[in-house]
């Protein structure tokens, strides 16, 4: 059994990789990023990739819920950094179907495939870096709980 300190370090590494992943996406997408995006990216990466450890979800289900989770975190981060702190990190006011200029439907739809990439990266990173069990990806349907020896 791994120590509590090791488990905490492992989760910090996952958060860090998620933050760097999101900053990289932003750099490729718009050519710049902000430090708050590292924190938002790390939080989203960690939470979305851990959904299937708490709920029975297929990858597509995890991606769909993940897109909503990212949008939720993006909204509240936008309220804090853009509206309260006036840092002007982003403004979706000109994008169709936006809410308060902080979130919009086109980006919520974009989070869906990005969540899939992030989830798969996180699973294989845990396998490669921390010798966790090899991921078994179930895209749409999950195997019956009884066939895996689980009790309902």
């Amino acid at each position: 059994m791994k120590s509590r300190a090791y488990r905490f370090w492992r989760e910090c590494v996952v958060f860090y990789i998620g933050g760097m992943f999101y900053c990289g996406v932003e750099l490729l997408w718009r050519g710049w990023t902000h430090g708050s995006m590292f924190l938002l990216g790390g939080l989203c990466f960690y939470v979305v990739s851990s959904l299937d450890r708490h709920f029975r979800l297929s990858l597509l289900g995890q991606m769909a819920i993940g897109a909503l989770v990212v949008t939720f975190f993006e909204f509240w981060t936008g309220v804090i950094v853009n509206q309260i702190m006036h840092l002007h990190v982003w403004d979706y006011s000109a994008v169709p179907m936006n809410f308060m200029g902080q979130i919009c439907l086109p980006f919520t739809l974009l989070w869906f495939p990005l969540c899939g990439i992030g989830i798969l990266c996180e699973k294989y990173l845990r396998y490669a870096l921390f010798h966790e069990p090899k991921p078994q990806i179930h895209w749409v349907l999950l195997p019956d709980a009884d066939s895996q020896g689980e009790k309902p």
Side-chain angles (χ1 to χ4, degrees):
M1 181 164 202
K2 305 287 184 183
S3 72
R4 181 178 290 171
Y6 175 79
R7 290 190 314 263
F8 178 74
W9 174 82
R10 181 183 61 201
E11 303 311 309
C12 288
V13 168
V14 169
F15 183 94
Y16 175 81
I17 290 170
M20 295 304 290
F21 172 77
Y22 186 73
C23 286
V25 168
E26 277 222 318
L27 287 170
L28 291 172
W29 183 264
R30 50 184 209 163
W32 68 281
T33 191
H34 185 268
S36 61
M37 297 299 93
F38 172 81
L39 297 174
L40 175 61
L43 179 65
C44 290
F45 188 79
Y46 185 83
V47 170
V48 170
S49 63
S50 68
L51 286 171
D52 69 332
R53 288 191 285 283
H54 301 286
F55 307 100
R56 283 185 43 89
L57 295 169
S58 66
L59 180 61
L60 291 176
Q62 193 175 354
M63 290 165 62
I65 293 171
L68 298 176
V69 167
V70 171
T71 300
F72 175 83
F73 287 147
E74 181 184 34
F75 174 76
W76 287 108
T77 301
V79 167
I80 293 167
V81 302
N82 294 327
Q83 294 186 341
I84 295 173
M85 298 174 72
H86 304 288
L87 295 176
H88 309 290
V89 178
W90 73 87
D91 182 3
Y92 295 151
S93 295
V95 179
M97 295 176 273
N98 78 80
F99 181 68
M100 296 173 54
Q102 303 310 307
I103 57 174
C104 63
L105 184 59
F107 277 87
T108 297
L109 297 175
L110 179 64
W111 302 142
F112 181 82
L114 283 177
C115 282
I117 293 167
I119 292 164
L120 292 172
C121 286
E122 186 267 353
K123 291 187 179 323
Y124 283 98
L125 282 168
R126 285 183 181 273
Y127 172 67
L129 296 177
F130 309 121
H131 309 291
E132 292 188 9
K134 187 173 182 177
Q136 294 184 359
I137 308 301
H138 303 285
W139 287 90
V140 179
L141 299 174
L142 295 173
D144 190 25
D146 294 333
S147 68
Q148 292 186 346
E150 298 175 14
K151 295 184 179 181

